[in-house]
Amino acid sequence: MALRIATWNINSVRLRLNLLERLIATATPDIICLQETKTEDQYFPHEAIDALGYPHRFVSGMKGYNGVAILSRVPFKKTATRNCVQRSDCRYGFVTIEGGIELHNCYVPAGGDIPDPEANEKFAHKLAFLEELAAWWADRRKSRTRAVLVGDLNVAPLETDVWSHTQLLKVVSHTPVEVKLLKDVMTSHDWTDAVRHFIDPDEQLYTWWSYRAPDWAKSDRGRRLDHVWVTPALKRSLRSASVLRDARGWQGPSDHVPVIVDLDP
């Protein structure tokens, strides 16, 4: 049977627990990877999520921002975190599930508003994060590695991943330097973009719409910031991919929507 993995920047797991329940009812994922859980581990809603049918959980969180979690119906063999750019800020966690698949959940820094590393420390941090991620995966590269990398990578790499390529070239998340660094991460382990494997790269596709837009659906000024990638050893195992666009219209939504991929374990 296929393994269904969902990734979602939920923008506070405690605030949007009802929407997590709705995702489960709508898509029935086997594993859910969350970013921006925004809660310390002792306050994570374990009992509620246990009741939703996800007894296996990995959490790494902090008060008020960041945080990643992996909720699973499938047992874990190993769990681990890693600090990126010498910061303990709960942006990266990974597990090994039964069958030997490594599942990596990553939340890349947004980078602030000014696309200049000298004028904006947040942007410099983002570039350093991506550079380190590419180097880390290059060091771990093995042809037999069965790994999935998911998360809010905060970069929209293709022209069709943004509502206007020309207007966003100088906007953080679609600048040439960010796109180049994300490509470096992708080539570091010859990753396959699982979503674009099924959805034509010429098709406009978004996973994030700003809260600032009074009518997000009508203006449709989105960006594809949320990704699922697989290593070469899993490419033939891919079965389907989808973006749950309707979730942006749920009451009290996150500004991101879930991305779902099915693969044979």
Side-chain angles (χ1 to χ4, degrees):
M1 295 179 64
L3 180 73
R4 173 163 290 181
I5 300 172
T7 180
W8 189 17
N9 180 324
I10 196 169
N11 194 13
S12 178
V13 64
R14 292 192 294 169
L15 182 63
R16 295 187 169 83
L17 189 58
N18 63 319
L19 298 189
L20 179 61
E21 184 175 0
R22 187 167 178 177
L23 167 64
I24 293 166
T26 300
T28 61
D30 299 295
I31 302 176
I32 304 170
C33 297
L34 301 175
Q35 303 87 44
E36 277 203 277
T37 53
K38 294 185 175 180
T39 184
E40 296 170 280
D41 293 352
Q42 63 265 38
Y43 301 120
F44 194 87
H46 288 286
E47 291 184 6
I49 290 172
D50 206 20
L52 292 172
Y54 293 81
H56 310 286
R57 292 179 296 277
F58 162 85
V59 298
S60 175
M62 57 197 304
K63 184 178 180 179
Y65 60 100
N66 295 354
V68 293
I70 302 174
L71 322 176
S72 180
R73 294 173 174 167
V74 181
F76 301 148
K77 296 176 68 176
K78 298 178 182 178
T79 65
T81 61
R82 65 179 299 262
N83 296 332
C84 303
V85 200
Q86 299 180 332
R87 296 191 186 186
S88 304
D89 54 2
C90 303
R91 289 185 177 274
Y92 199 107
F94 56 102
V95 302
T96 303
I97 64 174
E98 290 187 348
I101 293 176
E102 293 181 12
L103 179 57
H104 295 251
N105 187 7
C106 181
Y107 175 43
V108 172
D113 296 325
I114 303 170
D116 180 348
E118 294 185 2
N120 177 8
E121 187 278 333
K122 291 182 179 180
F123 192 66
H125 176 217
K126 180 177 189 175
L127 301 186
F129 189 105
L130 291 169
E131 289 172 350
E132 182 180 286
L133 191 59
W136 189 72
W137 274 107
D139 287 343
R140 300 178 81 251
R141 182 167 181 158
K142 294 179 181 178
S143 61
R144 299 186 304 275
T145 299
R146 303 174 77 229
V148 183
L149 173 65
V150 310
D152 177 3
L153 303 186
N154 259 316
V155 181
L158 304 181
E159 293 186 15
T160 50
D161 290 337
V162 293
W163 65 272
S164 174
H165 168 63
T166 55
Q167 293 184 68
L168 270 67
L169 278 171
K170 295 184 179 181
V171 175
V172 173
S173 77
H174 191 61
T175 64
V177 64
E178 293 169 274
V179 170
K180 190 267 181 188
L181 288 175
L182 190 70
K183 184 177 180 180
D184 289 346
V185 179
M186 180 168 277
T187 57
S188 69
H189 210 299
D190 195 19
W191 295 98
T192 291
D193 181 337
V195 174
R196 286 302 191 182
H197 183 72
F198 295 101
I199 300 175
D200 196 310
D202 291 333
E203 181 180 332
Q204 297 291 138
L205 185 66
Y206 317 134
T207 64
W208 173 91
W209 293 261
S210 173
Y211 284 133
R212 298 174 184 174
D215 188 338
W216 70 273
K218 184 177 181 180
S219 62
D220 203 22
R221 295 190 171 191
R223 307 176 202 174
R224 187 173 73 105
L225 304 179
D226 306 271
H227 301 267
V228 179
W229 297 351
V230 300
T231 52
L234 284 177
K235 184 175 181 179
R236 292 186 177 180
S237 299
L238 289 169
R239 291 295 171 260
S240 67
S242 60
V243 173
L244 193 58
R245 178 187 170 97
D246 289 351
R248 184 61 177 83
W250 293 349
Q251 186 172 0
S254 169
D255 46 357
H256 296 255
V257 298
V259 177
I260 299 165
V261 167
D262 291 337
L263 70 158
D264 291 333

